[in-house]
Amino acid sequence: KQWYQRRVAITAGVTDKEMGLNDNTETGFTDEVYDELVALQKDICEQDEECSESPYMGCKCHGHFNKLEKETCRGFPCKAVQHVIANSAQLLRDIRAQKSLTGLVSVGMKFAEPLLKEACQCNPSLIDTGINCVVDYDGDLIDEDDKEGYKEIMGRIKFDYLKTFAETMFGAYCGDDKGACLGNFQKITAEFAAMMDRSFDDEQKNKCNNFRRLSKGIWEMIEFLTDYYDIDKEPSVKQVLKKVYIKVFKNFWCGSGECAAGHLSDHFNNDCCFRNAVEKFDKDTVKDLWKFAQSVVEVIGGELPKCTKAIQKIITRSFNPNLACKRRYKGADKCDVIETFLVSRRDPHWRFSPLYSPAL
């Protein structure tokens, strides 16, 4: 447990000076960091329509954002950098004070929440524009001599597949343009972190609310990989994914009927936002992510195999307990369709509607 706490609290002994912090400045940072942040804000928030120089964001990126229809979306980069400048110093101090993964995750989510709420209003245009900014980047963060090579690499990566994947999954994460599911996923993420913390607590037993029950499967997976290393042979991607699925993910979701019906249903699968997200992460979504990853691996000289139906099945079942072991979760709370659930979240009078179901 002490080893784990030391790893989590890795910044605990770092001083304000080492973190670039100073209570006597407006932003809470040292003068050097402050000057850099001011320059960043000026570039992003005070750029003329006829952009001639943008060392950080790049003029092409400004152009992409200026084309967006909603004012909220056009102004997102400026809001983001203002939020970072105003709150980053406190974020670093909060991170330094944490002694658990749960604490770190909670601090990070609290910092990100205002930006995520803004971003949910702009899906999918924000993701599309952000990726275009990366592909067409012409700022000074890349040396002039390297820009031609950068452009060539960007042209080889299949970002269209990333756009489709990111738009689908971020939409599920938000729930709607008001961010109706953000709070749900904060709780889900916090619970996963808490399960990790409990796993390293000496007083915890092999229970449903931690990961200790997976230890045998994890060791068996490591032995499987070690056996291949000993004979100087690499297992196929499908073999690795299948082993990880059986020993870790399937064991997590399906290994215990008690855990499936209790802790895992209560904290994850009975949440309609969670169920919608894992259902969106279907075979087509997996293929989009895989094709993007293939193009990235090819650029760095590697190779990923074809995303076969077997691989798609393994990956989707790893994250969706209702596919991994449907009978374990047959008593799941009824969600009907996510649109109905979200209406119930937004409308306080929904419970008086004739369409209302207590299962929602």
Side-chain angles (χ1 to χ4, degrees):
K1 182 179 179 180
Q2 291 178 345
W3 172 88
Y4 175 72
Q5 288 179 336
R6 287 197 298 269
R7 299 287 78 74
V8 171
I10 194 169
T11 61
V14 182
T15 65
D16 278 6
K17 184 177 181 180
E18 290 170 327
M19 298 178 77
L21 300 175
N22 185 340
D23 282 332
N24 297 321
T25 64
E26 182 181 350
T27 61
F29 288 101
T30 60
D31 290 337
E32 293 81 5
V33 176
Y34 173 78
D35 291 342
E36 200 70 27
L37 292 174
V38 169
L40 176 65
Q41 179 172 319
K42 184 176 181 180
D43 179 2
I44 294 178
C45 300
E46 302 176 19
Q47 192 65 247
D48 295 331
E49 287 190 17
E50 296 295 329
C51 178
S52 59
E53 183 181 7
S54 177
Y56 295 98
M57 187 167 168
C59 285
K60 288 185 177 180
C61 187
H62 278 289
H64 288 310
F65 271 97
N66 288 337
K67 293 176 184 177
L68 295 181
E69 182 178 348
K70 292 183 179 180
E71 172 60 32
T72 298
C73 307
R74 291 198 300 272
F76 182 80
C78 182
K79 291 176 183 176
V81 74
Q82 288 174 338
H83 177 74
V84 169
I85 290 173
N87 298 286
S88 289
Q90 187 59 49
L91 172 67
L92 292 175
R93 288 192 171 93
D94 289 342
I95 289 174
R96 185 174 57 186
Q98 302 309 311
K99 295 182 179 180
S100 68
L101 184 59
T102 306
L104 286 175
V105 168
S106 298
V107 165
M109 290 191 298
K110 180 181 177 182
F111 175 81
E113 183 178 9
L115 295 180
L116 289 172
K117 284 186 175 180
E118 291 279 344
C120 286
Q121 300 178 49
C122 303
N123 189 48
S125 62
L126 185 63
I127 288 174
D128 188 63
T129 302
I131 291 175
N132 287 338
C133 284
V134 173
V135 173
D136 298 334
Y137 185 72
D138 61 349
D140 294 344
L141 297 180
I142 297 176
D143 291 338
E144 197 66 36
D145 294 340
D146 297 329
K147 286 183 178 179
E148 194 63 36
Y150 177 83
K151 183 178 180 181
E152 190 269 333
I153 290 173
M154 293 297 102
R156 292 170 58 190
I157 297 177
K158 298 178 180 179
F159 283 102
D160 285 346
Y161 291 114
L162 177 61
K163 289 180 182 179
T164 305
F165 168 80
E167 289 166 4
T168 299
M169 296 315 301
F170 187 63
Y173 184 77
C174 290
D176 65 2
D177 61 357
K178 304 298 183 183
C181 283
L182 291 179
N184 296 57
F185 282 110
Q186 286 182 357
K187 292 178 182 177
I188 289 168
T189 306
E191 179 54 29
F192 272 119
M195 290 178 72
M196 181 63 75
D197 286 336
R198 296 184 200 113
S199 300
F200 287 89
D201 187 340
D202 296 336
E203 298 179 1
Q204 286 283 332
K205 304 297 183 183
N206 185 356
K207 295 181 180 179
C208 299
N209 69 350
N210 60 59
F211 295 112
R212 286 194 170 196
R213 60 192 178 89
L214 305 181
S215 57
K216 181 181 178 182
I218 292 172
W219 280 115
E220 289 175 351
M221 182 187 68
I222 293 172
E223 289 175 359
F224 163 79
L225 297 173
T226 304
D227 289 342
Y228 272 93
Y229 179 79
D230 290 341
I231 61 176
D232 197 24
K233 182 181 178 182
E234 290 187 5
S236 68
V237 172
K238 179 183 173 181
Q239 287 175 316
V240 173
L241 289 174
K242 185 176 181 180
K243 185 64 68 173
V244 172
Y245 168 67
I246 293 173
K247 297 299 181 182
V248 181
F249 289 102
K250 188 175 183 180
N251 194 13
F252 175 71
W253 293 118
C254 314
S256 166
E258 178 188 353
C259 294
H263 192 83
L264 300 182
S265 287
D266 294 342
H267 291 275
F268 306 115
N269 199 54
N270 282 345
D271 188 296
C272 292
C273 291
F274 171 85
R275 287 241 291 285
N276 177 60
V278 295
E279 286 168 11
K280 292 286 187 183
F281 191 60
D282 57 16
K283 292 179 180 180
D284 288 335
T285 304
V286 169
K287 282 193 291 185
D288 287 331
L289 179 60
W290 192 275
K291 288 178 180 178
F292 167 72
Q294 275 182 317
S295 68
V296 173
V297 172
E298 288 174 5
V299 165
I300 61 177
E303 183 180 1
L304 273 182
K306 181 180 178 181
C307 189
T308 63
K309 289 183 178 180
I311 290 177
Q312 296 166 30
K313 183 178 179 180
I314 291 169
I315 295 176
T316 54
R317 291 191 173 198
S318 295
F319 297 94
N320 190 341
N322 304 288
L323 294 177
C325 44
K326 188 174 183 178
R327 280 185 289 184
R328 291 281 200 202
Y329 296 91
K330 63 183 179 181
D333 288 351
K334 187 178 179 182
C335 286
D336 289 334
V337 292
I338 190 65
E339 288 80 7
T340 303
F341 166 70
L342 293 175
V343 168
S344 72
R345 294 290 302 278
R346 292 193 297 264
D347 185 359
H349 304 295
W350 172 253
R351 65 184 182 276
F352 302 112
S353 166
L355 298 177
Y356 169 72
S357 167
L360 292 172

